[in-house]
Structure formats: structure tokens, C-alpha cells
Amino acid sequence: MSAIDSQRFKALEQEWEIRFDFNAICEIEERTGEKFMIVAAPLLALVEIGEIGNEASMLSIAQRVDFANIRQLLFWALEGAHPDVEIRTAGTIVQAIGLPRAVEVIAKAIARALPTGGGEPEGTPNPPKKAQRKPRRKAAKAG
């Protein structure tokens, strides 16, 4: 896991790392029975990437989010780097860094987990070919 894929921050006198890597996303889906984007949607619906880092926007967003969703998302994101973390610790971290900062950190981690759609995949495209009709042969007349 590269530093680009994770989000680091300090809280409770220690450095924390969060990330939504492939395994974390799969575990979230298995635990909830929902697609990852459905679970993350309540937060993502409020956050546009341009708003991240804008303190006024983050404060406004933090006032409209579900607190339990923020704590749960932070907990799941912490588990990859901190397997012994408890959900109550995630709540204590939110309290320590503040809700706007917690929303920002989680939103950045989600954004880093999502594909960017940066163009064509490597290799030569191989689109399916059109089916070509073979000319029909006329049946031979009996005669």
C-alpha cells in the first residue's frame, strides 16, 4: 500500500493511517450486505472533492452527516493499518480532531480508493467485431 492510497493524521497523541483498500471495501460489503458506494453515499452525497479542505464547507457538511456513519466509516478505514482498533476509539478520534476534520479525512480516503477513470486501459482495444452474414446458398432444385 503506497502513501498515495492512505490518509494519515494525528490524534490522541499518535499518528493514524486510514485507507479503503480493496480488502477493506470487500469486508465492508460483506459485513453490511451493501455495495461500498451505498455505504459511503451519505457522506459522498454531501462532499464534492473541491470542498475538501475548505473549512467553512466542511463545517456545513459536518452538521448534516449521520454521526454513526462517520464513526463506522472511520473505524473500517482504520482497521487496515490498526487491526486492534475498537469502534469506540474511532469515536474518540472524531471527538479529538473534530467532526469537520473527520469528514475531510474520511472523504479523502474514499476519494483515493475510487478509480480515477484516467483514460483507456493499457493495451490495444479489441472491440467485438460485427457479425458478418454469410451469403445464403440457394437450394438446388430437384429435377
Side-chain angles (χ1 to χ4, degrees):
M1 182 63 47
S2 71
I4 293 172
D5 298 321
S6 64
Q7 177 71 21
R8 294 177 182 271
F9 63 96
K10 285 194 171 230
L12 308 177
E13 299 180 11
Q14 103 176 53
E15 186 168 298
W16 298 90
E17 178 182 352
I18 67 169
R19 63 178 176 253
F20 293 100
D21 62 12
F22 187 77
N23 285 321
I25 291 170
C26 290
E27 285 184 35
I28 290 167
E29 290 181 346
E30 289 169 352
R31 289 178 187 179
T32 64
E34 299 281 350
K35 300 288 185 201
F36 174 68
M37 291 308 295
I38 300 296
V39 175
L43 176 66
L44 294 176
L46 297 173
V47 178
E48 291 183 28
I49 299 304
E51 294 179 312
I52 296 175
N54 177 332
E55 192 170 326
S57 291
M58 296 311 295
L59 183 57
S60 172
I61 290 164
Q63 293 171 349
R64 298 184 317 243
V65 296
D66 181 323
F67 288 14
N69 191 35
I70 294 297
R71 182 180 73 164
Q72 189 67 60
L73 284 168
L74 181 59
F75 171 69
W76 284 327
L78 284 164
E79 281 186 311
H82 310 279
D84 295 331
V85 73
E86 296 180 5
I87 193 158
R88 292 188 64 79
T89 304
T92 304
I93 290 171
V94 172
Q95 188 171 347
I97 66 175
L99 199 54
R101 176 75 174 128
V103 169
E104 177 183 7
V105 167
I106 295 165
K108 282 183 178 179
I110 292 170
R112 288 178 175 175
L114 302 177
T116 60
E120 292 291 320
E122 290 184 26
T124 305
N126 190 14
K129 293 182 181 178
K130 275 187 160 181
Q132 294 183 2
R133 289 187 164 187
K134 292 184 179 180
R136 289 185 179 177
R137 294 186 180 181
K138 293 186 179 182
K141 292 186 182 180

